[in-house]
Every structure is written in C-alpha cells, then in structure tokens.
Amino acid sequence: MKDNSKSTEHIFDTQFDESNYKLSLDDMLLDLKVLLKEYYCATFTHDGKSLKITLNNGQKFLLNMTAI
C-alpha cells in the first residue's frame, strides 16, 4: 500500500514550551493520522489540509482542518 503523506520525520513532543512553539496544520493532521491508525483498519491519505479515511468496508470520510 502506498503512503501518500509527505516523507518527513514527525516526532511527538508533549513537553514543549507552548509559548515558543507553533503547531502547524500539517503537524496536527499527521498527529491525527497516527492516532486514528491505532483504532481503524483503513487507508489514510493526507494532502496538507485534509485527511481522507477510507475504511475497508467502503465507507469514506474526509477530515478538513483549518487553523483559526
């Protein structure tokens, strides 16, 4: 199965100084992708602004995210 996500290393860091760190939209989507893969057998496609989830039974979901 081909992974269409960007081939950059992504490291979770739960103890960063929040005042000096800005989480990007791409980082947030990659975090969600990793978490959801623990619970669902599906194909995940990440395009930078959304996460497409295709379950093995044919259901499809699109998570769109916008920084506000």
Side-chain angles (χ1 to χ4, degrees):
M1 173 172 34
K2 183 178 177 184
D3 186 0
N4 292 330
S5 65
K6 294 179 182 177
S7 61
T8 59
E9 184 177 349
H10 186 72
I11 300 171
F12 289 96
D13 186 3
T14 58
Q15 297 183 7
F16 58 85
D17 180 5
E18 293 180 17
S19 63
N20 294 327
Y21 182 79
K22 297 288 183 182
L23 184 67
S24 73
L25 182 61
D26 193 51
D27 289 337
M28 179 66 78
L29 285 169
L30 287 173
D31 289 346
L32 288 172
K33 179 180 176 181
V34 170
L35 290 170
L36 289 170
K37 279 186 169 185
E38 294 294 319
Y39 294 96
Y40 297 100
C41 291
T43 301
F44 296 84
T45 307
H46 172 245
D47 70 3
K49 291 187 178 183
S50 62
L51 183 63
K52 181 179 176 184
I53 304 161
T54 305
L55 299 176
N56 292 342
N57 67 2
Q59 287 182 284
K60 294 180 183 179
F61 299 91
L62 184 64
L63 294 174
N64 292 310
M65 189 169 274
T66 304
I68 56 171

